[in-house]
Amino acid sequence: MEPPVNRNGSDDVRQPLLDKPAKKEAEKEERLCIDEMLQRYCGEFGRWQMKHFVLTCLAWALEAFHTMVMIFADQEPEWRCVGSDCRVGSSNCGMDPSSWEWTEGKGSSTVSEWGLICGEKYKVGLVQALFFTGCMIGAGVFGHLSDSKLGRKGSLTVVCIINAIFGIATAFSPNYWFYVILRFFTGFSTGGVGLTAFVLATEPIGPSKRGVAGMSTFYFFSTGIALLSGIAYVFRSWRELFIVTSVPSLLFLLIVIPFISESPRWYLVRGKVDEAMKLMHSIAKTNGRHIPAGVTLALDNEVEDRNTAVEGSLKDVLKSPLTRIRLLITVAISFTVSIVYYGLSLNVVNLKTNLYLNVFVNAVAEMPAFAITAVLLDKYGRKPLTIGTQWFSCVFCLAGFVIWGAGPWKSVRMVAGVLGIFGMAGTYNLLFIYISELFPTVVRNAALGCATQMNQMGAILAPFVVVLGEEIPFGIFAVCGLVGGALSFYLPETLNKPLYDTMFGMHEAESESNRGRDEVVC
C-alpha cells in the first residue's frame, strides 16, 4: 500500500504541520519608525554617525567664511598724512586727497579701493544688508527644495557650487555695483548651507544623542570664524581674501560630498523605503550592529502604501493651529536673537582695538557657551535653556548700556559684550535643535528655512543698530534678549520626544499626550 500523498506533492503527511509555523514566522514583519530602529538595532551615535556628522558639519566653516569675510573685506583701514594740509587725529573727510594715503594701500579693502568713506560710507552697510537679503531668500528656497525634490544632500551640493562660483567671482569685481550683485548671489547660496547641513547631520542620530550632537554643529562655525581671522591677517588684500575663503567650497565638493549620505528620513517620507533600509543596514553594519530579517521602516502615521511620497509644505504648517503658533513664535525669537548675535559680532568695530584679535576672541568665547549648553540640554530641557541663555545675554547687554565713560570702563563694556555674545551664541545654536524637534520631517527644513530667513532679517538690521554709537546698541540688544526670552515661555518642551515624520503622526501624538494629561487631572 502506498503512503498518503499531501496536496503539495510530498509523501510526508506531517509536512504541512511542520511548514505552517515556519511560514508564519517568515511572514512576520516588524515595522519601526527611524528613531526606534536606531535605538534598538543600529545604534544612536556610532562610528557611522560620527563620520557622517563631522564631514557634514564642515559646511558650517564654509558658511562662516562666506558670511564673516565682510568684517575684513569691508573694513575701513588706517590712513596716514603725507602732506602739510593733513590734520592728524581728525577725519579725512574734506581733506585734499593728495594730503593723505591708506597705510596698507588701496587694495587692502573695498572701502579703500572704491573710496567708501564720508558721504559714500552708507554703501558699506548696503552691500552687507543685501548679502543678508540674499541669505534670507536662499534660506526659504533651499529650505523647501531640501524637503522636496533635491533632498538634503542635493541641496547642500547645489549651494556649495553656487558659493564657490560667486565667491571666487567676487574677487574679480571691476567696480562696486558688480561687487554688490555678486555678494547678493553668494548670500543666496550661503542662506541654505547651515540649515541643510544641520538637518542632514542630525537626522540619522538617535533621540538621546541628538541634542548634544546638534549643539556641537556650531563648533564648526565658530572654528571657521577663528580660522578666518588668521587667514585675513595673512592675506591683507580683499581680492586675495575672497579667493582663499572660496576655494574650500570647491574642496568640500570634490573631497567631502562624495562621502556624505542622504538622510534616511528624507528617503522614507519620499516613499523610497528600499533606499532608506539600505542606508539603515549600512549604519548598523558600520556600528557593529545587525538589523534582523523582517524588520522594516514605517512612517509614524503607518500609511498602508509605504512607497508613496508624503508631501509637506509651508502651507501645511500655516494651516495647522498647532504648527502655526509654533512657527510664529520661533521666527520672532529667531529675529531678536539674530539682531543681538550679529550686532555684538559686528560691534567689534566700535571697540577701537585690534580687529583680528577681537574677531578671534569673540569666536573662541562662543565655544564654552556651546559646551555648557550641551551639558545642560538633556538635563533641564530645551525650553528653560532657551529662556535662560537669552536673559543671561540681556543682563550683560544692559550692563553695557548703563556703563559710561572711557579708560577702564571701555574694557568693562568690552567684557559685557563678550558675555552677551556668550549667552546669545548658546541660544542661536539651541534654536536649530529646538525648531527641528518642533516640526515633522516633511516640513522640517521649510520651518527651519523660515526661521533662518528671520535670522537674516535680523542680520540685515544689525549693522544699522551698530552705527548708533557705543551705548545705544547695547540697550537695543538688552530689549531683544528680554522679549525673546519671554516669547519662549509659549513653546512646548521637546526633551525625550521623538522626531515625527508626518503632520498626521505629530498631531496624533500630541492629541494622545493631551488626553493623557486630562485623565491625570480628572
Side-chain angles (χ1 to χ4, degrees):
M1 183 176 178
E2 294 182 0
V5 179
N6 65 18
R7 294 179 183 177
N8 296 330
S10 171
D11 58 358
D12 190 348
V13 295
R14 296 170 299 173
Q15 189 67 31
L17 298 175
L18 295 174
D19 278 349
K20 195 170 182 180
K23 186 177 180 181
K24 283 185 177 179
E25 186 66 29
E27 290 177 350
K28 184 179 179 182
E29 183 180 69
E30 183 181 16
R31 299 181 67 190
L32 303 173
C33 69
I34 287 181
D35 278 350
E36 290 174 321
M37 189 173 286
L38 289 169
Q39 289 174 314
R40 293 173 60 179
Y41 299 118
C42 299
E44 295 191 69
F45 194 77
R47 287 174 53 200
W48 190 96
Q49 286 101 332
M50 174 63 81
K51 184 189 90 169
H52 178 80
F53 179 82
V54 171
L55 291 179
T56 306
C57 287
L58 290 174
W60 277 99
L62 304 180
E63 180 177 355
F65 286 172
H66 289 288
T67 302
M68 296 303 182
V69 68
M70 67 178 68
I71 297 176
F72 303 102
D74 299 337
Q75 67 170 306
E76 183 175 339
E78 295 181 356
W79 56 275
R80 62 192 174 201
C81 293
V82 293
S84 57
D85 295 335
C86 180
R87 298 180 299 277
V88 179
S90 62
S91 171
N92 53 5
C93 295
M95 289 187 187
D96 184 346
S98 63
S99 65
W100 63 276
E101 65 180 8
W102 299 108
T103 304
E104 296 185 13
K106 283 190 174 182
S108 60
S109 81
T110 59
V111 172
S112 56
E113 178 154 338
W114 292 316
L116 308 181
I117 57 173
C118 305
E120 298 289 304
K121 196 170 185 177
Y122 75 95
K123 290 183 177 180
V124 177
L126 177 63
V127 68
Q128 293 177 355
L130 288 174
F131 171 84
F132 285 118
T133 301
C135 288
M136 182 177 66
I137 297 171
V141 171
F142 289 105
H144 172 72
L145 290 175
S146 62
D147 278 336
S148 53
K149 295 182 179 180
L150 276 183
R152 279 68 161 127
K153 181 180 177 180
S155 296
L156 184 60
T157 302
V158 171
V159 294
C160 286
I161 291 173
I162 300 174
N163 256 348
I165 292 173
F166 286 103
I168 293 174
T170 302
F172 300 95
S173 302
N175 56 52
Y176 171 79
W177 293 109
F178 266 94
Y179 177 69
V180 169
I181 294 169
L182 292 171
R183 284 298 285 164
F184 172 82
F185 283 109
T186 305
F188 174 76
S189 56
T190 302
V193 173
L195 69 94
T196 53
F198 179 85
V199 173
L200 183 57
T202 56
E203 282 192 335
I205 297 172
S208 69
K209 309 293 183 184
R210 193 179 299 125
V212 174
M215 292 298 296
S216 301
T217 58
F218 280 80
Y219 283 112
F220 294 85
F221 186 78
S222 296
T223 300
I225 297 174
L227 289 173
L228 176 63
S229 63
I231 293 171
Y233 183 80
V234 174
F235 296 92
R236 297 299 182 97
S237 164
W238 71 270
R239 294 183 185 273
E240 292 177 357
L241 185 58
F242 271 107
I243 293 174
V244 173
T245 54
S246 299
V247 167
S249 293
L250 285 176
L251 298 178
F252 185 82
L253 283 166
L254 298 174
I255 300 173
V256 179
I257 285 286
F259 298 98
I260 293 176
S261 301
E262 182 55 87
S263 168
R265 296 180 190 274
W266 182 80
Y267 278 140
L268 188 59
V269 299
R270 298 298 295 176
K272 301 180 180 182
V273 182
D274 292 338
E275 287 90 338
M277 279 303 302
K278 183 179 179 181
L279 184 54
M280 296 302 284
H281 278 289
S282 176
I283 294 173
K285 183 178 179 181
T286 304
N287 292 346
R289 307 284 288 271
H290 173 68
I291 301 176
V295 177
T296 187
L297 286 170
L299 291 169
D300 48 26
N301 66 347
E302 293 290 336
V303 292
E304 292 182 5
D305 186 1
R306 292 174 293 147
N307 293 314
T308 301
V310 181
E311 301 286 349
S313 67
L314 188 60
K315 182 179 178 181
D316 298 309
V317 177
L318 295 173
K319 283 169 61 178
S320 164
L322 177 67
T323 52
R324 181 171 62 243
I325 189 63
R326 291 183 180 184
L327 183 67
L328 293 175
I329 293 173
T330 52
V331 296
I333 296 172
S334 298
F335 176 72
T336 57
V337 167
S338 182
I339 290 177
V340 181
Y341 178 78
Y342 283 104
L344 288 172
S345 297
L346 297 175
N347 200 47
V348 293
V349 298
N350 287 329
L351 299 179
K352 308 300 182 184
T353 53
N354 187 289
L355 180 63
Y356 304 95
L357 182 61
N358 275 338
V359 173
F360 179 81
V361 169
N362 276 355
V364 172
E366 296 178 8
M367 296 183 184
F370 303 152
I372 294 171
T373 312
V375 170
L376 300 177
L377 188 65
D378 290 328
K379 184 176 182 180
Y380 296 104
R382 282 61 165 152
K383 182 175 178 177
L385 282 181
T386 304
I387 298 168
T389 50
Q390 290 183 86
W391 284 359
F392 178 91
S393 179
C394 170
V395 169
F396 286 99
C397 288
L398 185 61
F401 174 68
V402 298
I403 294 171
W404 293 74
W409 293 110
K410 241 178 187 179
S411 300
V412 174
R413 192 181 296 118
M414 183 186 72
V415 172
V418 171
L419 292 173
I421 202 171
F422 172 89
M424 203 53 72
T427 314
Y428 197 93
N429 190 353
L430 176 59
L431 274 180
F432 271 80
I433 302 168
Y434 205 177
I435 295 171
S436 68
E437 293 177 344
L438 286 169
F439 298 91
T441 301
V442 290
V443 294
R444 183 168 298 123
N445 259 22
L448 273 173
C450 284
T452 304
Q453 283 181 302
M454 291 309 294
N455 272 334
Q456 306 309 332
M457 182 65 76
I460 291 170
L461 295 179
F464 298 103
V465 175
V466 171
V467 299
L468 296 177
E470 295 185 20
E471 292 83 17
I472 294 177
F474 277 107
I476 295 174
F477 301 151
V479 171
C480 288
L482 181 65
V483 172
L487 288 173
S488 303
F489 276 98
Y490 296 95
L491 291 174
E493 180 56 71
T494 59
L495 178 63
N496 295 327
K497 290 188 178 181
L499 278 183
Y500 299 109
D501 295 317
T502 63
M503 296 287 285
F504 177 83
M506 186 186 71
H507 280 94
E508 283 293 298
E510 291 293 333
S511 297
E512 289 179 10
S513 177
N514 291 334
R515 283 196 297 267
R517 283 197 297 268
D518 292 340
E519 290 174 3
V520 171
V521 172
C522 292

